Amino acid sequence: YDLTQPPSVSVAPGQTARITCGGNNIGSKSVHWYQQKSGQAPVVVVYDDGDRPSGLPDRFSGSKSGNTATLTITRVEVGDEADYYCQVWDSSSHHPYVFAPGTEVTVL
Amino acid sequence: QVQLQESGPGLVKPSQTLSLTCTVSGASIREGDYYWSWIRQVPGKGLEWIGYIYNSGSTYYNPSLKSRVVISLDTSKNHFSLNLTSVTAADTAVYFCAREQRDWGIPVFDPWGQGTLVTVSS
């Protein structure tokens, strides 16, 4: 199962960043988003399509439509600069955990 | 607060076995509905799930690595381990351990260790 993400997204501080994740029939699967800052471990920022772990700012949100999931970061801050990965969980698959290639978000 | 820390050799020769350990603090790996996982990241590339072990000892592996992977549990030391046999340069990567938790109703990798770089080279 293959997932696609744009390699990079650039955004100015205070603006909105949208990162897409495409996959066949992604609407039937659960999608999580991880943030990985340089040299650090990934951290989940959105799980199960659109839920946020407690303590995460509401500037991070997730949605799905058709074959695309989207992570939206509003009021972008310099500290949001990181790689973002979507991950799909498919309980019916022999390979239930698939990660997309990742998107590098640069804050200009 | 649960924390995970990987340890093991940073350099492995081709055809040999890569062995890493993940030590868990702040929780017992014997308890709870958690799956203890290994994930790797080839430098400059994306993430690849390797496999997991449950506290019962049952395991599940990525089909593409299954023939070379063994994950084991040592509850007395509160750690779990990864063995990857017959390594090649393609196995050079940062290896992360992570807890797959279902407290939110769905499997999510949280938290992760800091990761350890393993280079396969003679």
Side-chain angles (χ1 to χ4, degrees):
Chain A
Y1 184 74
D2 292 324
L3 295 169
T4 58
Q5 284 186 246
S8 61
V9 165
S10 297
V11 59
Q15 299 303 301
T16 297
R18 293 180 180 85
I19 306 160
T20 58
C21 177
N24 187 38
N25 205 25
I26 200 171
S28 67
K29 308 178 197 306
S30 296
V31 179
H32 311 320
W33 291 92
Y34 297 88
Q35 175 195 67
Q36 184 181 30
K37 296 184 179 179
S38 180
Q40 299 183 21
V43 173
V44 58
V45 292
V46 166
Y47 67 94
D48 199 13
D49 302 341
D51 291 330
R52 266 189 319 276
S54 62
L56 253 290
D58 62 4
R59 300 186 299 104
F60 291 84
S61 63
S63 61
K64 261 189 337 193
S65 178
N67 284 331
T68 302
T70 302
L71 174 69
T72 301
I73 312 171
T74 57
R75 304 185 303 280
V76 166
E77 302 174 356
V78 172
D80 297 331
E81 196 163 90
D83 293 329
Y84 291 83
Y85 296 89
C86 77
Q87 179 238 317
V88 157
W89 178 67
D90 184 355
S91 60
S92 65
S93 171
H94 290 296
H95 185 180
Y97 311 94
V98 177
F99 290 90
T103 297
E104 180 182 20
V105 170
T106 301
V107 182
L108 302 169
Chain B
Q1 182 184 0
V2 179
Q3 293 184 312
L4 291 78
Q5 179 66 57
E6 305 88 350
S7 59
L11 181 64
V12 180
K13 288 181 167 45
S15 80
Q16 294 192 342
T17 296
L18 179 160
S19 296
L20 296 173
T21 294
C22 179
T23 301
V24 179
S25 58
S28 169
I29 60 175
R30 274 181 289 201
E31 298 171 3
D33 189 22
Y34 302 120
Y35 295 73
W36 304 97
S37 297
W38 287 97
I39 297 162
R40 69 181 183 179
Q41 184 172 35
V42 173
K45 300 272 175 85
L47 297 157
E48 179 181 35
W49 173 73
I50 298 170
Y52 68 58
I53 187 165
Y54 192 57
N55 58 21
S56 64
S58 63
T59 55
Y60 194 79
Y61 303 131
N62 183 329
S64 67
L65 296 169
K66 184 178 179 180
S67 63
R68 299 194 292 131
V69 173
V70 173
I71 298 176
S72 58
L73 206 61
D74 187 334
T75 55
S76 67
K77 295 180 180 176
N78 214 44
H79 73 212
F80 61 105
S81 300
L82 168 70
N83 274 3
L84 180 66
T85 61
S86 305
V87 297
T88 69
D91 294 309
T92 293
V94 175
Y95 286 77
F96 295 96
C97 57
R99 183 184 70 172
E100 187 223 274
Q101 56 101 338
R102 305 185 180 204
D103 297 343
W104 300 330
I106 198 147
V108 178
F109 295 112
D110 175 67
W112 299 53
Q114 284 299 304
T116 186
L117 174 63
V118 178
T119 301
V120 179
S121 174
S122 55

